Amino acid sequence: MQPTLFLLVLLFVIGIILLITGIRLYRQYTNVKEIADFPLDIEPRKINFEKSGAYSVTIVGAAKIDDLHFRVTSEDNKRMEIYTYGIFSPTFLYKRGIGVTAYYFIITQAGYHTITFRDLEKLEAKTTNLLLTSLFTKNIPAAHLSIKIKEHKLNWRLTLGMLLVIISSWAILFPIAYVLLNPSFRIFSK
């Protein structure tokens, strides 16, 4: 076997392994458990969080959310949970339209917690993320939006999964292109 052929086959096999690993990491990021699904209103919702950890608030029906205020308290109303606004808020397509994962919070102790949304009249929800087009679109009323509470996986799985898919596609396509475009290269020597 020629040394060049051995390196090309090795690069191809490494590319396949990286592609499979990248797809698995991406699927781990997207395959999260949904805790609750309810319409957006001012009624307090009691939700059972089976374990402590990070959770995300996803708004279905809008691509951009501003001024959404909510509070997560424990069952004894003594502990308020920490929540943050996601600077990079990924949008996605869902069966009822577009959605955005906008907020993240941490549950420090498992059990029942109450989530309350406030000041819904100040809520700014748009169907587009683009600055110019969002200036000319009307706000979506809160009655047309719904909330999903999901477990949150760290973004490094998404980033690393996408990076591995990109690198693996190069590692798979380069040996194929080298063999096809190099007329002097022969797989089997006479």
Side-chain angles (χ1 to χ4, degrees), residues 83-177:
Y83 67 91
T84 59
Y85 179 73
I87 294 171
F88 172 66
S89 300
T91 58
F92 59 90
L93 293 177
Y94 192 69
K95 48 185 151 179
R96 290 183 278 180
I98 196 163
V100 61
T101 302
Y103 293 90
Y104 307 98
F105 61 94
I106 297 170
I107 296 293
T108 55
Q109 187 176 5
Y112 283 94
H113 290 69
T114 304
I115 184 166
T116 309
F117 292 92
R118 305 181 313 244
D119 302 330
L120 293 181
E121 62 276 353
K122 295 179 184 176
L123 175 68
E124 293 182 24
K126 305 280 186 170
T127 56
T128 180
N129 247 344
L130 301 173
L131 179 63
L132 188 61
T133 55
S134 68
L135 293 174
F136 301 108
T137 58
K138 294 181 181 178
N139 281 341
I140 301 169
H144 296 323
L145 302 175
S146 66
I147 299 291
K148 288 184 167 304
I149 308 289
K150 299 190 221 177
E151 288 182 351
H152 178 65
K153 301 278 183 157
L154 298 175
N155 286 340
W156 70 267
R157 293 178 196 265
L158 174 66
T159 307
L160 185 61
M162 291 172 69
L163 185 66
L164 286 177
V165 167
I166 291 168
I167 292 171
S168 67
S169 62
W170 176 85
I172 292 170
L173 293 176
F174 178 76
I176 295 171

Side-chain angles (χ1 to χ4, degrees), residues 7-26:
L7 290 175
L8 292 174
V9 169
L10 182 65
L11 185 62
F12 185 79
V13 170
I14 290 173
I16 296 291
I17 292 170
L18 289 177
L19 179 67
I20 292 169
T21 307
I23 290 172
R24 291 177 90 187
L25 280 174
Y26 180 75

Side-chain angles (χ1 to χ4, degrees), residues 68-87:
L68 178 66
H69 301 285
F70 68 96
R71 184 172 155 181
V72 180
T73 55
S74 64
E75 194 171 34
D76 56 6
N77 287 330
K78 292 183 181 175
R79 263 186 343 274
M80 264 185 45
E81 305 302 337
I82 304 163
Y83 67 91
T84 59
Y85 179 73
I87 294 171

